[in-house]
Amino acid sequence: MTLVEIEAGLNADREAFDLRDIVESAATFLEDASALEIIRWAAATFGDRLCLTSSMSDALLIDLVSRVKPGCDVLFIDTGYHFAETIGTRDAVRQVYDVSVIDVRPSRTVAEQERDLGPRLFGRNPDLCCYLRKVEPLNRALEPYLAWISGIRRDEAPTRANVKVVEWDAKRQMVKVNPIARWTQEDVDNYIADNGVLVNPLHYDNYPSIGCAPCTRQVLEGEDPRSGRWAGLGKIECGLHV
């Protein structure tokens, strides 16, 4: 199904037209496709109603998408709590890759949030902090699109073990595309090395998974790569992907 057909269906009868029909077939025939083939399908199907999100941990997905869809919108959630290195990586991406980086910000600044809800909400109620500074802003930013591309992988966490390369994002009522869902960390490392992909320098300082500065620590040898996220809080997801 092409973008023209999708748009025609949406305009004719939004309630009757169900994007989930696309997801069911695409998830099956693209399961064994390469990341570039999955992105080509998404670009051909959704056109400018397609975007990707990036935490600026690295530019692997940005590199892939820019090869298929130059100028694609890249949504970066600027939580107000990022490491300087993450902001620097975002700025470098703007200079190096043919994409349009869009800063997505929460409705309240950090100072306004602390005024209204008290200091260090990230320590007292990390789920609420993540919702206010990540989930809600992304939900707003995704409204103009029909589909979004994410870089999540099955090997990253138990909560991601069953993600499909194309799936239905029920919370946002849109299509979610995960081109590197089947990749391993070795696949990631090899692609970055072979293609000279920009990487957040924190990766070279024992930060394999990078989030907001107050909630991310270095990972010790032998620890799970995501153990540095929300350490000691019993939390492994910010809520964007669950």
Side-chain angles (χ1 to χ4, degrees), residues 81 109-126 128-129 133 214:
Y81 285 121
T109 66
V110 170
E112 288 169 340
Q113 178 172 294
E114 291 187 347
R115 177 199 66 199
D116 297 340
L117 300 174
R120 299 180 61 82
L121 181 65
F122 51 79
R124 294 182 289 109
N125 191 337
L128 178 58
C129 191
R133 308 214 69 77

Side-chain angles (χ1 to χ4, degrees), residues 2-224:
T2 66
L3 177 63
V4 172
E5 292 171 322
I6 292 172
E7 294 282 12
L10 287 170
N11 292 334
D13 188 345
R14 276 186 178 272
E15 292 187 3
F17 190 82
D18 197 339
L19 288 172
R20 285 173 290 189
D21 293 337
I22 298 173
V23 170
E24 292 176 6
S25 58
T28 299
F29 74 75
L30 290 172
E31 170 60 25
D32 296 320
S34 70
L36 283 174
E37 289 171 331
I38 294 167
I39 295 167
R40 288 192 189 101
W41 169 84
T45 304
F46 301 107
D48 290 338
R49 302 291 296 277
L50 173 73
C51 69
L52 70 143
T53 60
S54 177
S55 65
M56 298 300 167
S57 178
D58 59 56
L60 186 155
L61 191 60
I62 292 168
D63 182 88
L64 285 166
V65 171
S66 67
R67 294 169 186 261
V68 174
K69 194 180 187 318
C72 187
D73 289 348
V74 178
L75 307 184
F76 169 68
I77 308 173
D78 189 352
T79 65
Y81 285 121
H82 282 303
F83 290 98
E85 290 87 347
T86 301
I87 299 301
T89 302
R90 176 204 63 187
D91 294 344
V93 163
R94 281 195 168 110
Q95 298 298 316
V96 172
Y97 296 96
D98 187 1
V99 293
S100 176
V101 178
I102 298 172
D103 291 326
V104 176
R105 295 187 173 90
S107 58
R108 284 181 279 201
T109 66
V110 170
E112 288 169 340
Q113 178 172 294
E114 291 187 347
R115 177 199 66 199
D116 297 340
L117 300 174
R120 299 180 61 82
L121 181 65
F122 51 79
R124 294 182 289 109
N125 191 337
D127 288 338
L128 178 58
C129 191
C130 283
Y131 178 79
L132 294 174
R133 308 214 69 77
K134 290 185 176 182
V135 179
E136 192 278 331
L138 181 63
N139 289 348
R140 282 190 283 107
L142 286 173
E143 287 178 0
Y145 303 97
L146 291 172
W148 64 296
I149 299 174
S150 92
I152 61 173
R153 307 194 321 269
R154 293 168 184 167
D155 71 344
E156 290 178 311
T159 49
R160 302 179 180 185
N162 297 315
V163 299
K164 298 178 180 179
V165 295
V166 180
E167 56 189 6
W168 179 244
D169 184 342
K171 289 196 302 184
R172 302 177 179 94
Q173 294 293 291
M174 63 191 302
V175 179
K176 184 178 181 184
V177 183
N178 307 306
I180 62 171
R182 302 194 319 273
W183 285 29
T184 64
Q185 185 61 53
E186 183 179 5
D187 294 327
V188 170
D189 294 341
N190 289 340
Y191 186 90
I192 287 173
D194 293 345
N195 295 277
V197 172
L198 279 176
V199 175
N200 189 318
L202 288 171
H203 274 298
Y204 305 116
D205 195 23
N206 298 323
Y207 287 90
S209 181
I210 303 167
C212 292
C215 300
T216 306
R217 66 161 175 82
Q218 290 173 305
V219 171
L220 302 177
E221 185 176 352
E223 287 186 316
D224 182 270

